[in-house]
Amino acid sequence: LEEMAGRAGAVGAGLTHIGPAGLAAAAAIGGITLGLKRSLEEAAKADQSYRRLEAVLRATGHASGLTAEQIADFADGIERSTLATGEDVQDAASILATFRSIAGETFTRTLGLAQDMSAVFGQDLSGAAIQLGKALEDPIDGLTALRRVGVSFSETQKELIRTLVETGRTVEAQRVILDALEQQVGGAGAAEASGLRGATNRLEDAWGNLLEVIGRTPAITSIAQGALDLLSGTIEGIASSIEEDPIGQRIATATAELAHAR
């Protein structure tokens, strides 16, 4: 309680002197302060990931054939069924969207299998998305990268992929690659999220999502943004005053000279 009360600042310090009731009140205020801070952090993280995804989709002319909202919904589904977070999936989607030949159902299927690869081969999700993106963008040469991490293809599959690409049927070649990958790692992401580890992860996700929703509440975000803008303006004003004030300039010059002399 004392630790939480300490987060309430001067108000908390004053309340703790009242006695047990004051300590409890101060701890409650500190807990709310900490919760709002975490909420804003979670909301800012999710917002940053989503905006980055939107920017990539615009830059690529929406070659993926999907909107940012559709990808975000798909990412939420992966978050619920695996150990990945929605932001991790969105970041991987931002990378995958730079490969313009991957679109539609192939795009979402690739994201899901990238998480399965991540689970089996111990990679991060974005790294797996890069490897899969390269393989699907250039199916003939791209298989090498997948073989390096342990994904194998039979001679028949490799020959079929080559024939499909050479006859302009790249989408079908991509499907053959994903089919082969699914036969080797399909479902691994969901499997590792089962049992006690999965239950713990679902609780973590649920708590993080709750904080994110709270942080996105208009009343909270408007107050936070206003406070941050006010603080930024104050600091900028102090800096301008020092620059314009001859005394401040002399202090800054003397400090620089002292540092140089040392």
Side-chain angles (χ1 to χ4, degrees):
L1 287 174
E2 288 174 350
E3 182 180 350
M4 294 303 293
R7 297 181 180 275
V11 175
L15 287 172
T16 55
H17 291 107
I18 298 175
L23 177 61
I29 294 173
I32 292 172
T33 302
L34 177 61
L36 291 176
K37 177 177 179 291
R38 285 286 309 279
S39 295
L40 291 171
E41 289 173 349
E42 291 291 335
K45 181 180 177 182
D47 183 63
Q48 180 185 31
S49 176
Y50 188 81
R51 289 178 184 274
R52 182 164 49 237
L53 175 60
E54 283 186 316
V56 172
L57 293 178
R58 283 195 302 270
T60 57
H62 292 273
S64 67
L66 299 168
T67 65
E69 185 175 355
Q70 288 173 320
I71 293 174
D73 288 342
F74 184 78
D76 288 341
I78 292 182
E79 180 183 61
R80 288 190 295 270
S81 60
T82 71
L83 299 182
T85 67
E87 289 76 26
D88 288 340
V89 180
Q90 286 183 172
D91 290 343
S94 295
I95 293 173
L96 194 61
T98 62
F99 298 96
R100 295 171 182 260
S101 69
I102 305 171
E105 181 185 354
T106 301
F107 188 95
T108 53
R109 188 182 179 195
T110 301
L111 271 180
L113 285 171
Q115 173 56 23
D116 291 333
M117 278 184 62
S118 175
V120 172
F121 300 117
Q123 304 170 287
D124 67 3
L125 181 53
S126 291
I130 291 173
Q131 288 179 328
L132 264 180
K134 288 180 178 179
L136 297 178
E137 187 85 350
D138 185 0
I140 295 176
D141 295 331
L143 296 183
T144 303
L146 293 180
R147 288 201 299 270
R148 288 196 187 112
V149 298
V151 181
S152 60
F153 295 88
S154 67
E155 291 301 321
T156 301
Q157 288 172 326
K158 287 188 284 188
E159 185 59 34
L160 175 58
I161 291 168
R162 180 181 299 277
T163 300
L164 291 172
V165 172
E166 290 176 348
T167 56
R169 297 150 69 188
T170 302
V171 174
E172 293 181 48
Q174 292 174 343
R175 191 175 299 119
V176 172
I177 293 173
L178 295 178
D179 287 344
L181 183 61
E182 190 164 17
Q183 291 172 1
Q184 297 176 59
V185 302
E192 73 169 357
S194 59
L196 181 59
R197 179 67 184 92
T200 304
N201 185 72
R202 284 194 296 276
L203 176 59
E204 292 173 355
D205 287 343
W207 177 245
N209 289 337
L210 173 62
L211 293 177
E212 181 183 326
V213 169
I214 293 173
R216 285 204 308 263
T217 303
I220 293 176
T221 54
S222 62
I223 292 172
Q225 289 173 1
L228 291 173
D229 288 340
L230 178 61
L231 180 60
S232 298
T234 302
I235 293 173
E236 290 168 356
I238 293 173
S240 297
S241 298
I242 293 175
E243 289 178 351
E244 296 171 359
D245 181 11
I247 295 177
Q249 290 179 354
R250 287 200 296 272
I251 292 173
T253 301
T255 302
E257 290 176 350
L258 179 60
H260 181 70
R262 288 180 178 177

